[in-house]
């Protein structure tokens, strides 16, 4: 099936100067990735017995899962609570989640010492139900499948009435078209189940991702180590899901020279301070309850990290978004959304890496160049794939109008 | 020296029968719902079926009352490192001649078990420079191991007879076991590109199954190591403390630490000074299993959430349509 692209003067090109830069980063990343699979983890990472998890788990996996949360939060407010005005945001959020989770899976595979045995997770006789990681793995695998199913209608829409196969196969155009219509109609009937399933699976593994580090016990600094970690991870995932949708929408508007959807985004942004408020209250109660607040003022690196993480990622965006005027400007929205995203990235980095100290402090960890290259390469690939799909599939409504 | 140590430690009450001990309970709540009930309830959400293993996995693991362990008397150890040689030899690891292990310069720096040295001896100096303490490190073989609880494919397993065993044929190499281990004693073969393994003491299963002692225990020239039933070792340890209160601190490390370990330690000074982590009386796995099975008990919470979301969806759609 050829991609029958509409030819229009206004249609943005795929390659711009920025895209070339991103492509170069992706290329370097793929070379580093090849080196990892040929030479092994020891050769390309600075991981050690003290730091078995490094940059890849903290960024590619932990942050990847959190930042892809926009998919289920948007699906919830737009579809399940049936808020018509948010519908234009659903498809971009879904696309981010789909690509994001695909790269979470790739990130996990890159980090696995025995990546070729990854399929063991799917064998019931291998399952170990006490493992938090087991729950995360099963949920993420199922959720990726659900996301692909949720994306299918977009593929159908793209090709219905536009199936143009090359000459020897042209006779298949009509059956393919009929099949697509059938699939589309069938999916429309059951889609609600998949949307609900997506929300349930997301709540399950977003929280379990927090439970993951509870077993590390004293290795994780007491400012972060709490049995409440699953709740904090879930709440921050809700908040960052909305922030990511806002961030991306504004970025896409800028890149494709479209008018930003200020009104809708300002409306969506109202959820964020509510969530940040609940998060703050829960955090304060937890710190007081465990007596861990004493570490806040000891002037250690950990206390500094915590203050920056909370002040920059929670308090500041809360203040910005509580201001009606700021919330209605693209700049105010972009600043607040970026801060929430940075805050969550920092939180995941702290929990998985920066506030993690091995029992035997004989090792230190700073990621190798190749580790940075792979992570940057994956992010670059996500950007490129996102751009390609947005330009070739009906994802962003306003872009469709321009292209028509 | 050997004779002196042994006479000093012998005790009239040594023949006393140890008090019977029940298997350490890994106190996880069993699940109320069977797999079939669960399938019935969730009906539509076929994908969640996959996670039913969570329900299955929460069964309690019973440990044999006669499970084995090793008692290390650090007041006896002379730091000869013969145990390191024996361990390397038994496990087919890179090894030197026995006399090379007399080299004391190795003790200048702190070492930890690695993928090619499953046990190491460290020297901890005291106020009296003539009386350092030598500390043997290796996998502690926890009673309720965090590594086994963490492993998603069951590659780490607590055997009812005591040892915690690693099965490479299941392992996918995620290294979550190493994140979970409170002692940081598991090591990884990072240099192996294709088939890296987690390396740790396995308590010499091939030797013990033949009725022989673990290699390090058999090799020890001063009998600092005693292999036997854990309950008997504990009784022996407390007896030694009782008979020689000046020689020991009144603490058997591993009796309760992290839910208890198969390797037990006696020392002449507080274990914190010797680099042993201070752990609570329950396994780190206890808390995560409680959280996990609490949230997913009988799969009630996810199913309820599914129902709730369905109801919200239905209500909001009909509310919009009616007027």
């Amino acid at each position: 099936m050829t991609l029958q692209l509409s030819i229009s003067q206004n249609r943005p090109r795929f390659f711009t100067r920025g895209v070339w830069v991103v492509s170069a980063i992706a290329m370097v990343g793929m070379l580093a990735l090849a080196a990892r699979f040929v030479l092994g983890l020891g050769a390309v990472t600075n991981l050690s017995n003290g730091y078995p998890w490094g940059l890849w788990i903290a960024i590619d996996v932990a942050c990847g899962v959190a930042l892809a949360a926009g998919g289920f939060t948007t699906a919830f407010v737009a579809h399940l609570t049936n808020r018509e005005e948010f519908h234009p945001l659903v498809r971009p959020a879904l696309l981010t989640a789909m690509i994001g989770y695909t790269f979470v899976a790739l990130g996990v595979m890159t980090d696995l010492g025995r990546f070729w045995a990854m399929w063991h997770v799917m064998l019931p006789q291998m399952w170990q139900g006490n493992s938090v990681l087991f729950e995360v793995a099963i949920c993420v695998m199922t959720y990726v499948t659900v996301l692909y199913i949720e994306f299918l209608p977009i593929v159908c829409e793209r090709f219905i009435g536009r199936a143009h196969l090359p000459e020897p196969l042209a006779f298949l155009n009509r059956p393919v078209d009929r099949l697509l219509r059938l699939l589309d109609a069938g999916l429309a009937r059951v889609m609600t189940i998949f949307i609900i399933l997506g929300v349930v699976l997301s709540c399950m593994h977003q929280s379990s991702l927090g439970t993951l580090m509870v077993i590390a016990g004293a290795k994780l600094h007491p400012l972060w180590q709490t049995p409440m970690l699953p709740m904090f991870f879930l709440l921050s995932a809700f908040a960052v899901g909305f922030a990511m949708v806002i961030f991306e929408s504004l970025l896409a508007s800028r890149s494709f020279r479209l008018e930003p959807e200020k009104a809708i985004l300002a409306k969506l942004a109202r959820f964020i301070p509510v969530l940040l408020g609940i998060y703050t209250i829960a955090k304060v109660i937890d710190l007081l309850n465990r007596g861990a607040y004493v570490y806040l003022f000891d002037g250690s690196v950990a206390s500094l990290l915590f203050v920056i993480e909370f002040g920059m990622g929670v308090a500041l965006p809360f203040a910005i978004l509580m201001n009606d005027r700021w919330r209605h400007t693209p700049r105010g929205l972009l600043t607040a959304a970026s801060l929430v995203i940075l805050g969550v990235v920092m939180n995941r980095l702290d929990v998985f890496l920066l506030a993690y100290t091995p029992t035997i402090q004989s090792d230190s960890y700073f990621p190798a160049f190749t580790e940075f290259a792979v992570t940057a390469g994956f992010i670059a690939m996500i950007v490129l794939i996102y751009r390609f799909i947005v330009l070739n599939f009906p994802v962003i409504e306003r872009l469709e109008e321009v292209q028509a | 020296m050997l004779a002196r140590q042994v006479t000093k430690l012998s005790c009239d009450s040594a023949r006393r029968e140890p008090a019977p001990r029940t298997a350490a309970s890994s106190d996880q709540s069993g699940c109320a719902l069977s797999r079939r009930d669960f399938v019935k309830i969730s009906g539509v959400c076929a994908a969640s079926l996959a996670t039913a293993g969570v329900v299955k996995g929460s069964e309690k693991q019973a440990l044999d009352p006669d499970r084995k362990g090793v008692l290390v008397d650090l007041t006896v150890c002379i730091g000869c490192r013969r145990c390191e040689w024996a361990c390397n030899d038994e496990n087919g690891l890179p090894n030197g001649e026995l006399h090379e292990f007399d080299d004391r310069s190795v003790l200048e720096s702190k070492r930890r078990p690695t993928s090619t040295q499953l046990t190491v001896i460290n020297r901890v100096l005291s106020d009296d420079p003539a009386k350092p303490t030598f500390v043997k490190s290796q996998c502690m073989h926890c009673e309720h191991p965090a590594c086994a609880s963490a492993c998603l494919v069951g590659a780490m397993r607590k055997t009812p007879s005591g040892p915690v065993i690693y099965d490479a044929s299941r392992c996918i190499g995620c290294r979550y076991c190493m994140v979970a281990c409170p002692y940081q004693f598991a090591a990884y073969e990072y240099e192996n590109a294709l088939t890296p393994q987690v390396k740790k003491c396995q308590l010499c299963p091939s030797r013990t199954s033949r009725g022989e002692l673990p290699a390090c225990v058999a090799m020890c020239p001063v009998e600092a190591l005693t292999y036997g039933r854990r309950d008997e070792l504990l009784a022996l340890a407390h007896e030694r403390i009782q008979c020689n209160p000046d020689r020991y601190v009144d603490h058997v490390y591993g009796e309760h630490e992290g839910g208890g370990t198969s390797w037990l330690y006696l020392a002449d000074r507080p274990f914190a000074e010797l680099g042993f982590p201070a752990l609570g009386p329950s396994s780190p796995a206890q808390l995560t299993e409680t959280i996990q099975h609490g949230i997913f008990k009988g799969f009630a919470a996810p199913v309820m959430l599914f129902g709730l979301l369905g109801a919200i969806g239905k209500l909001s759609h009909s509310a919009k349509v009616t007027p």
Side-chain angles (χ1 to χ4, degrees), chain A residues 359-387:
Chain A
T359 315
I360 304 167
Q361 293 169 32
S362 58
D363 302 308
S364 66
Y365 172 76
F366 190 82
F369 170 75
T370 29
E371 291 180 80
F372 281 116
V374 168
T375 295
F378 277 156
I379 296 169
M381 290 289 286
I382 292 173
V383 171
L384 293 176
I385 295 172
Y386 184 88
R387 189 176 172 87

Side-chain angles (χ1 to χ4, degrees), chain A residues 168-179:
Chain A
L169 294 170
F171 70 97
L172 284 172
N173 281 344
R174 204 178 264 236
V176 164
D177 194 63
R178 203 168 297 158
L179 209 68

Side-chain angles (χ1 to χ4, degrees), chain B residues 43-321:
Chain B
V44 276
C45 65
S48 313
L49 265 174
T51 333
V54 174
V55 178
K56 198 174 59 185
S58 61
E59 283 154 15
K60 204 157 148 176
Q61 189 190 359
L63 297 175
D64 294 344
D66 66 345
R67 63 191 179 280
K68 301 298 192 289
V70 179
L71 175 65
V72 188
D73 193 333
L74 296 180
T75 65
V76 176
C77 178
I78 53 169
C80 69
R81 298 174 55 223
R82 293 287 187 276
C83 52
E84 292 185 20
W85 182 89
C87 179
N88 293 343
D89 189 54
E90 170 65 22
N91 290 290
L93 298 166
N95 209 0
E97 293 297 319
L98 197 52
H99 66 84
E100 291 171 27
F101 284 75
D102 294 333
D103 176 15
R104 310 299 280 178
S105 67
V106 176
L107 298 167
E108 295 301 320
S109 55
K110 278 270 169 295
R111 295 180 301 150
R112 43 153 305 145
T114 66
S115 58
T116 53
Q117 291 172 295
L118 307 186
T119 186
V120 292
I121 296 280
N122 277 305
R123 183 178 61 194
V124 182
L125 296 172
S126 66
D127 299 335
D128 181 356
K131 283 173 124 184
T133 307
F134 298 99
V135 181
K136 182 180 186 296
S137 309
Q138 74 296 307
C139 169
M140 300 288 283
H141 296 273
C142 301
E143 294 276 90
H144 184 186
C147 59
S149 173
C151 182
L152 74 169
V153 288
M156 285 284 183
R157 195 165 53 89
K158 174 75 177 174
T159 54
S161 60
V164 177
I165 298 291
Y166 169 71
D167 178 359
S169 72
R170 284 174 167 257
C171 180
I172 62 171
C174 70
R175 308 186 298 287
Y176 188 32
C177 51
M178 298 170 68
V179 172
C181 174
Y183 300 98
Q184 203 85 62
F185 282 158
Y188 202 64
E189 294 182 318
Y190 285 104
E191 301 312 316
N192 185 331
L194 215 54
T195 55
Q197 296 191 12
V198 176
K199 287 294 199 171
K200 65 172 211 66
C201 163
Q202 306 265 79
L203 218 52
C204 291
S206 62
R207 291 178 63 97
T208 52
S209 66
R210 292 195 303 262
E212 292 172 32
L213 293 171
C216 56
V217 179
M219 189 68 175
C220 184
V222 292
E223 290 184 42
L225 308 174
T226 314
Y227 178 80
R229 283 177 61 144
R230 184 175 184 271
D231 52 1
E232 290 178 359
L233 293 176
L234 270 174
L236 176 67
H238 283 292
E239 229 169 60
R240 285 194 192 171
I241 292 172
Q242 224 168 29
C243 301
N244 307 279
D246 301 334
R247 187 183 176 95
Y248 301 104
V249 289
D250 189 11
H251 182 181
V252 182
Y253 191 94
E255 181 173 15
H256 303 297
E257 272 77 10
T261 55
S262 303
W263 281 70
L264 305 162
Y265 285 78
L266 282 173
D268 56 356
R269 46 187 164 140
F271 285 96
E273 289 177 23
L274 300 171
F276 286 73
L279 299 174
S282 74
S283 165
Q286 189 69 59
L287 181 58
T288 49
E289 286 175 15
T290 307
I291 295 174
Q292 205 63 1
H293 295 307
I295 294 174
F296 295 105
K297 185 165 187 179
F299 236 72
V303 172
M304 269 164 61
L305 181 59
F306 194 98
L308 182 71
L309 291 169
I312 291 173
K314 201 136 213 173
L315 282 174
S316 67
H317 280 267
S318 58
K320 286 274 164 73
V321 174

Side-chain angles (χ1 to χ4, degrees), chain A residues 41-42 47-49 52-53 76 79-80 82 111 113-114 116-117 120 125-128 130-131 135 142 212 219 358-359, chain B residues 47 50 148-151 153 168-170 172-176 178-179 181-182 184 188 190 194 196 293 313 316-317 320:
Chain A
L41 287 171
L47 296 172
S48 58
N49 292 331
W53 282 359
F76 174 74
H79 284 313
L80 295 181
N82 199 23
D111 192 75
R114 299 172 155 246
W116 43 266
H120 286 182
Q125 67 268 31
M126 297 273 183
W127 290 352
Q128 205 284 102
N130 288 329
S131 170
E135 199 271 328
T142 317
L212 215 50
K219 290 193 239 180
T359 315
Chain B
S149 173
C151 182
V153 288
S169 72
R170 284 174 167 257
I172 62 171
C174 70
R175 308 186 298 287
Y176 188 32
M178 298 170 68
V179 172
C181 174
Q184 203 85 62
Y188 202 64
Y190 285 104
L194 215 54
H293 295 307
S316 67
H317 280 267
K320 286 274 164 73

